[in-house]
Amino acid sequence: MHSFLPAVFHYTHPLKPHSYPGHGTNVTPPGPSYTSPSGTQTRVRFKGNKLSLGQPHKTIDACFAKLYCASLQQKCLERACCWSPVDEANVPWCFFSKNHGYSVVSKNIEARLTRMDAPSLFGADIKELIFYAEMQTENRLRFKITDANQARFEVPHEHVQAPSSPPTGPLKYRLELIQKPFGLKVWRTSPEKLLFDTTIGPLVFADQYLQLSAKLPSHNIYGLGEHVHQTFRHDTNWKTWPIFTRDAFPNGGTHNLYGHYPYFTCLEDESGQSFGVFLMNSNAMEVTIQPAPAITYRTIGGVLDFYILVGDTPEAVVDEFTQLIGRPFIPPYWSLGFQLSRWDYGSLDEVKKVVERNRQIGIPYDVQYTDIDYMEDKKIFTYDMEKFKELPQFADYMHEKGQKYIVILDPAVSTGKRLNGPYEALERGHAAKVWVTEPDGNTPLIGEVWPGETVFPDYTNQACVDWWVDEISRFHKEVKHDALWIDMNEVANFVQGSSKGCAENKVNYPPFTPRILDNLLYSKTLCMDAKHKWGNHYDVHSLYGYSMVLATEKEVFKTNRSMVFTRSSFPGVGKYAGHWLGDNAANWNDIKWAIPGMLEFNLFGVPYIGADICGFFDDSPEELCRRWMQVGAFYPFSRNHNAQGYKDQDPASYGADSLLVKTSKHYLNIRYTLLPYLYTLFYKAHVNGETVLRPMMHEFYSDSETWGVHSQFLWGAHLLITPVLDPGVENVEAYIPDAIWYDFEKVRPSSITDRKEKVNLNLPADKLGLHLRGGAILPAQRPDITTTYSRRHPMRLIIALDDNNAASGELFWDDGESRGILEELDVLTMHVTHNGYTDPNNLKFENITVMGVTGAPVSVLVSDGTTTNALTASQVNYNSTRKVLYLRNLELELGKDYTVNWQDKYRNSRHFDCHPEAGSDQAKCEARGCIWKPSNVPNEPWCYYPDTHGYITGKVVETASGITVDIERNTAFPSQRSQSRDISKLRVEITYLSGKSLRWKIFDPSNARYEVPIPLDLPAMPETEENNRLYTVQIKNKPFGIQVIRKDTEEIIWDSAVPGFTFSDQLLEISTLLPSNYVYGFGETEHPSYNHDLSYHKYGLFAKDQPPGYKLNSYGLHPFYMGLEKSKNAHGVLLLNSNAMDVTFLPTPALTYRTIGGILDFYMVMGPTPEAVVQQYTEMIGRPVLPAYWSLGFQLCRYGYSNDAEIADLYRDMKAAKIPYDVQYADIDYMERQIDFKLDKVNFKGLPALVDDMRAEGMRFIFILVQKLFYYLEKLSSYTYRSMYSMLFLFCLKTCSEMYSVPKLHAFLVCALQDPAIAANETKGSYPAFDTGIEKDIFIKWPPELSNDIVWGKVWPDYPNITVDNSLDWDTQVELFRAFVAFPDFFKNSTAEWWTQQIKDFYNNVIKFDGLWIDMNEPASFVHGTVGEKCLGDAALENPPYMPPLESMYRGLNHKTLCMNSEQILADGTRVKHYDVHNLYGWSHTKPTYDALLSATGKRGVVITRSTYPSSGRWAGHWLGDNYSAWDQLLKSIIGMMEFSIFGIPYTGADICGFFNHAQYEMCLRWMQLGAFYPFSRNHNSINMPRQDPVAWGPEFAAISRDVLNILSSSTHGAVVGVRGQFMNMDTPLSKINLHVRGGHVLPWQKPENNTHYSRLNPLGLLVALDDGGSAHGSLFWDDGEGIGRLCMFVSMCVQEWES
């Protein structure tokens, strides 16, 4: 739909306010829409001389874009305009044809305009006009249109004038004139853009009706005033705003208020380029904003005098505007303090009572006011000598405590006498003839204001100015005061026009009246034909307040800088005065609307602006006043003021101990702390025209979301204030622009990591949002109760580093009240740029606070240019949690030059380690072509790569599906390791897998290298549509690197264009910069925190039988991490490489990978949320298996049951205690000689019957099968191979995502723990598994060129017929008593078949089971490499040239495992070294086990595996290994489980209460409470340790354990936690674990029983937790719990709270 511009909104009768039949005044003209036969509303248009129907909302050929021309059809047609009714609010029905306007008859910098023949709108059209254009500056264009033959009224502005010289630089605009009809276009020159186009409508120029319309380039229009604008950005849907100064209430209507501002700013687009338009005209007018977007001016006098101001940013436009009208004054320092006022204290005693009670509560408070009640009968320049008899001494009373006193002055002067004599001020005024007069020019006009009958000073008369200045001076001598508050100067009059009324003439009743309040020009003011020196009141009415300010400043600004603030204003008043937003009310609307108002006055060049805090009218409720005091503490002019007859609302009136007082003091103390910063902002406003209270869009104009923000604001560029503006609210939606933000109150990086997003801030009753933008240096000072005292305190600096670790700032400082600029400091280097002032208080910078420092400094140095001193340790404090550096007791003198710098502990944090091996020295470092620089920072490299080290980019080929790059090693640097040959030429293949994933693979194109043989689920076709991808990829040259950039935020999330890239035979090294410090993942190692500490920590990754310990490589390998970005987005990166490796974190932030084989094969998923990262990652590696339902129950296990009676007693006691549990285990102690399938018939002969009894009661039983195939060496000349099922059957199964089955009462679960090693020392034939394995050649052997033998190891099984001497050390026991074992090669298809058959035989012939627990599959061996510990083959595979930092690294890779030269054979027949696939052994073991379990049982059981690799979770769960009974293990178990969740293995747990060491009562109880919520919940400990099952500790322990395992049946309190987004202390008695349900969620539950077999028979219930919106959602998956491919249900649930 096209938007149309109104010209005349309504037509007025020449003598009285307009009206329509049946309607009130000031309404849109009524009229029906034309409706076609089809019922469609249709516009009507003229075409030639015919009336014809047109399509709805189409542009009309014969007419201008729609402009109002008249109200009624007859009038419309009489004016030769177009009539088109439409049923849309505010859209004009009558609009101009192209016959209206003027044509250009001559053109240059001046042009004469002649009116075209067309009917007149209001008569008195001016036939000939003169157009004058002046290119005043590079950024400012002026054009004026006026009567060519007769002078008209023009604003006699005090400051605006033409520049003394023409512009010297290129103009940023150009002017284009259109001849017929006349129009003009103002263009921006670069880039070319049409800014102001008046050809959209005709120029109308009559004596009392001037109209001009212009099309604008965007809807981002700000300004025009004074009104209440409920939003900062204008609504362009046909809004008309009258402009004419008026004493009216700011109650939210569209009526005119106190000031006259025909000025707006327009933000053009995301570039920030903006322009301002100022119409220098003081007559009554209205401005209509239309959806074109366009603007129409209609004014009733003067001239059209426009200034177009062009800027590169919105802030630059304010600079241009204030250059034109006058820069804002610098208020005295004390006027930035908090101020108290009210109308009608009643007496000076009451004033003092208020002063004293606020002093006593210690609230920062600088200024006290008295309103008109201090006067004698409200007469100005008097005081009430009865109720305010001590007023002459009141200023001294205030000054004694460092406070100030301000009085009010109204302009109107009473005509009555004083109580005790003549009114001398009046008499002197009469004598000087200073009054506004009636039309005769002599008779003072009489009106009525507060004192009754009054006369009105004419401040445009120099005699009046002299009289006024003299009266102020006289009164100041009588009643001392510190500043003046001038009010009622619109000018206000309580009678219409005058006591005599107003004559009926065209001045008082013009032919057109703008849509002003009451539709009457002289309503509540003077007659329009009243006389001033400057002209008729008709012309100068809106200049009354302006002229009063000019007169007042002549007195106030004589010596010291004082202050004036005024209610009525005009552009330029900010040069001398401030303003408040008038007589608001105590309601929640007015607290909201104050913010757009203050933002607008900053555009208008009046930054000293505020609103009456807590509201002027009405009683202010505590909550409203409290929230208003919070935000009011950040108003530039901060005053609490209320009206006559309402309750007190000064802070102390609410009670000294009230929350209002507490929060008011808190935020006023912050204000006073930051007054040096606020004062500096006013200085910058005065010098550069900058805004003080700044709209968010001025700083973040490239973000369109900021364009409409009006409930938040900034102090300058850096302090973001987010207030609470609604009742009963503690969570506020706030917009967070694109920067790093610090929580100002907590002095720490904000918990807000979001950027360019709306977030919910938790702001409880005593808080508002206060955030400091990175990049700021704020001067600050210790606060005090007044500025007099605070200015004596030492200064400090608050520094907030930005994304580039940089910050800047300034300080302006002087005595706070003298005229003239005294001193400015640049505190970035503390360099004094102008020093003409010595502070009498000998001020010093005492403290500096630096936020965002990533590490503790090594040293802090302070230099004054002559000497440099290091701060002592006591002066430097670094808070690592908050990342804040505090520098204390500095004694840096104000006015001197200083440089303060610190040597960051991580100053070389982008230095990538060139010599990661031990034994680095300068010679070795430089031999590698690297840089040597010692450091005393722990772990920081002393030897690091030069910037260009690495590879150089060669040929780059880009296709729609990816990029191929050839790269070559930079031979300017020597080879680093002679034992590991560099590969000089490499190929890089980048594939756009999907819109959310990509792959980059770096390999040797000439010689095939080992690649991980794990299939990933990748998209069938790459994503070739660039617009569908969330990322772009860039290739960097020297050094070569890949950058992956997230499109929407432009963040680089992978950047390997850093030095150190290495690709050699046995070392591949690559580094990348990270987008943030938030990195999660990499395993399996024990991490002390979920988010990695990036302080040069290095972790080795290599699967090993190693209990968890700090930086010890444990059972699995997961080279995957998830990273967060500054924008809150997340991504994940997988390096598909299975060789031994390490990862190093750098505080840059950065990450270095080093792996000792294979290729570099990276996969990235783009999220954007952390959960989406996990979903995309598991989509790639395989979704996790779905566990059997029973496996989610509690489980008990112990290595060390002495006999079956112990298990029976345990089961009985658990039942008696009614503790739910589902699974009981028996570890290797039930076996004879730890041999699988051989029952100890002495100690465990009753176990089968016990198992039957337990099974009959719904229990599951899991046996461990420590199944190694081992052999006994009978003769030296030959080996007899024996088999044993020990290891065979024991992989524990985790649930699979496709399979389900209902637990049966008779289904006996045996989860066999199975190690892979197969024992071989038994009599031939006694172990068919081993014999069959030999026949099928399934065991790992040496390569044929070395030997045809099996690579033997040793694990659990003992030789037959021996007694183990446990008094011997472990290694001796292994040597003497442990049998030889062989390790199946699970990569072989024949091994998988063999494995499946052994498991099925065991299930069918020996014992039933439902799950398998597979252990020791790293693979673990009790000897190193092989029996005899002499590995055959290449020694460099056992001890590579670069050894990652692994446990026992100096003993080689084969420590506690197989020789790396061992050979394995992949399914396709490819022969590989164990060196390459060692970390895949557990992975290769898992799928055959899972497949065998399903094949044997026909049900979905559980496989639990100890060793894992990416995609293991498709078939198995995991436990965190052989942990210790220690408090730190509780926290670390949480970290480990969260890591395995992002690794795609969610069925994970830790051994509850610990595997090794004695458990302690309290620790074990807390662990039981925590472990009840592990996905895999098992209590398990080791031999020779005391029992730690729940009933072993006594009744209290058992009861608490029962309660937590039965948690859903315990009472649910439903209490709402009272805080959000912050840490809190919670009550945690020993019997309690804190559980909370997030609002918005529905949780299904079931009544618990002794085990899940029975609980599944109970009805289901729902736990519903409503969110803030009163709704909740949830889902339920349900099936039979263990079947394969059975039917299931998935139920979604939604709950919505309804209001009755």
Side-chain angles (χ1 to χ4, degrees), residues 157 386 426 564 620 716 791 1289 1562:
H157 201 280
E386 181 180 343
L426 174 70
V564 178
S620 192
R791 281 179 58 88
F1289 303 126
E1562 181 182 358

Side-chain angles (χ1 to χ4, degrees), residues 623 627 722-734 759-765 767-769 1616-1622 1667-1669:
E623 182 189 10
R627 290 302 194 185
T722 305
V724 178
L725 304 173
D726 290 289
V729 166
E730 293 194 352
N731 287 285
V732 172
E733 184 178 77
V759 302
N760 280 320
L761 295 183
N762 179 238
L763 301 175
K767 293 297 179 186
L768 90 165
V1616 177
V1617 177
V1619 299
R1620 296 191 184 194
Q1622 64 188 67
D1667 62 13
D1668 293 329

